[in-house]
Amino acid sequence: MLNNKIIDEIASKISQMLASSPAADIEKNLNALLRGIFTKLELVTREEFDIQTQVLQRTREQLDALEKRLAEIEAQQKQ
């Protein structure tokens, strides 16, 4: 069975090797590349989408109320 101290030392050495390797630079460059691609796609955040959904819901409610009111006015004019 391996000693916990040995496992911690191995994990520490691996972390140090990864930190000094080009993997960190590759990750940074990949993140920047992906952000650029997503920006060009003009994606919206979930928060922006939810806000627009609420605006659309209120607009539909107002439209329904106006249609109902118009129908009542038209019914009154027919009488």
Side-chain angles (χ1 to χ4, degrees):
M1 180 185 255
L2 287 176
N3 186 341
N4 284 339
K5 185 177 179 183
I6 295 172
I7 294 173
D8 290 342
E9 286 179 20
I10 293 171
S12 175
K13 298 265 185 200
I14 291 172
S15 295
Q16 289 174 0
M17 287 174 42
L18 288 177
S20 63
S21 75
D25 291 336
I26 292 171
E27 182 180 358
K28 289 177 187 176
N29 290 337
L30 184 59
N31 283 339
L33 177 66
L34 290 174
R35 282 192 187 119
I37 291 171
F38 289 141
T39 300
K40 288 179 184 177
L41 291 176
E42 297 182 8
L43 300 175
V44 297
T45 64
R46 183 66 182 177
E47 181 181 359
E48 292 170 324
F49 178 81
D50 290 341
I51 290 170
Q52 289 302 315
T53 301
Q54 292 171 359
V55 169
L56 179 59
Q57 180 63 33
R58 285 194 304 266
T59 303
R60 286 181 179 165
E61 290 169 359
Q62 290 174 349
L63 178 61
D64 290 343
L66 287 172
E67 287 176 341
K68 182 180 177 183
R69 185 173 171 204
L70 179 61
E72 291 171 356
I73 292 171
E74 288 175 342
Q76 287 176 355
Q77 287 182 349
K78 288 182 181 177
Q79 293 176 355

